[in-house]
Amino acid sequence: MTMTTELAESSVSATAKGRPARGFGLRNRKLVAGLVIGGAILLFGLLGPLVTQDPSLVHDQGLTGPSAEHWLGTTQTGQDVLAQLAHGTRGSLAVGAIVGVLTLLLSTFFGVVGAYAGGWVDEAFSLFTNIMLVIPGLPLVIVISSYAPDKSIWLVSIVLAITGWAGSARVLRGYTLSLRNRDYVLASRVAGEKRWRILTVEILPNLIPLLASQVVFAVIFAILGEAGLSYLGLGASGSFTWGTMLYYAQNGLALRLGAWWWFVPPGLLLALFGAALSLINFAIDEIINPKLRNQTRAARKSWRMSREQLSKAKEATL
């Protein structure tokens, strides 16, 4: 993620002064592309299970290619791949949503509240965040998942959230420390406003773009993490996700048997949804950081320049 201290200062100063970010909305192609792709996959995950059959229903046609009866073919045991893909999309999106919400709550509590409270509260929260930050996340997730006999989507999501909120809390803590000493916050304190009102009215609204960026990053981490765990056989049991589909395809020797319709659809949706969230995240970065947006535009212009024009442009900037 292209988050730097300079980005934080510029974004915080822009939002704190109440200036709306330019280029927001439909003019940002990355945001539009990300919303279109992500929205289409979200609709498929929400509506697909309502119109498809039971994903565990076994037919007498095992490992058949796409046909009019089974649009995406069947698995080795005769289960409809389209039905599994629809339910798997819902399961993966559920994991992403749960982890996104939990990461938002944990990072806001330990990052924003701790930094605003200051004193020993900030020191204790910062120490706990640093401890969680240095704990290797993926090995811890594998160990916890290995010892859990019955793993549900909720359990996997909570484990992923516990191991993934610390980085966002560190980022939010730095921004909150910058906002806490701003003039308008000090003026609110002098005016006698309550601490909870200053936090919720004066500080949190200025952190919304950063919170959104952190949530998007957490959802990407959760979906990819769950897919990795499921591919290793450590994911949620009794549920369908993109990762479990890839796991069953691997066990069924789909690649060796040339059953591309079994592993390509979940892999493709996983890649497309990750790309969509990444585009949204990049767009948020550009929206809250005008310097990054200007640098991107300058880089695009340089791609269309000849060598002579590019050298003249560089000389003009010296």
Side-chain angles (χ1 to χ4, degrees), residues 189-204:
R189 290 178 179 173
V190 173
E193 292 189 9
K194 296 181 179 178
R195 292 170 63 89
W196 65 267
R197 190 180 186 285
I198 296 175
L199 180 63
T200 56
V201 176
E202 304 292 347
I203 293 180
L204 278 179

Side-chain angles (χ1 to χ4, degrees), residues 1 103 164 167-168 211-222 277 281:
M1 182 182 298
T103 300
S168 298
L211 289 171
S213 177
Q214 297 302 314
V215 169
V216 171
F217 181 73
V219 173
I220 296 174
F221 163 78
L277 293 183
N281 204 16

Side-chain angles (χ1 to χ4, degrees), residues 32 67 108 142 146 154 165 178 193 206 218 243 256 265 314:
V32 173
S67 62
T108 302
I142 292 176
S146 301
W154 276 97
W165 63 270
S178 175
E193 292 189 9
N206 291 316
R256 182 179 299 179
K314 290 181 178 179

Side-chain angles (χ1 to χ4, degrees), residues 7 27 50 53 68 170 172 197 219 234 239 256 267 270-271:
L7 180 154
R27 285 180 294 178
L50 302 178
Q53 56 186 280
R170 289 291 298 172
L172 293 173
R197 190 180 186 285
V219 173
L234 301 173
S239 301
R256 182 179 299 179
L270 182 62

Side-chain angles (χ1 to χ4, degrees), residues 29 296-311 313:
R29 297 179 181 177
T296 304
R297 289 175 178 173
R300 288 176 181 170
K301 290 180 180 178
S302 66
W303 296 344
R304 295 191 292 268
M305 290 181 180
S306 63
R307 291 185 177 180
E308 296 179 354
Q309 292 174 331
L310 186 59
S311 61

Side-chain angles (χ1 to χ4, degrees), residues 5 23 30 41 217 233 251 284:
T5 304
K30 294 178 183 177
I41 296 175
F217 181 73
N251 282 354
I284 293 175

Side-chain angles (χ1 to χ4, degrees), residues 53-65 69-85 240 244-245 248-249 261-262:
Q53 56 186 280
D54 184 357
S56 301
L57 183 63
V58 177
H59 299 272
D60 55 357
Q61 299 175 348
L63 206 62
T64 58
E69 186 177 359
H70 302 285
W71 290 1
L72 290 181
T74 60
T75 65
Q76 199 171 31
T77 54
Q79 296 164 321
D80 188 73
V81 174
L82 178 60
Q84 289 193 352
L85 186 66
F240 284 99
T244 57
M245 289 188 67
Y248 290 126
W261 57 87
W262 195 356

Side-chain angles (χ1 to χ4, degrees), residues 151-154 156 226 230 234-241 244 248:
K151 299 180 285 294
S152 64
I153 285 182
W154 276 97
V156 174
E226 189 279 332
S230 297
L234 301 173
S237 54
S239 301
F240 284 99
T241 63
T244 57
Y248 290 126

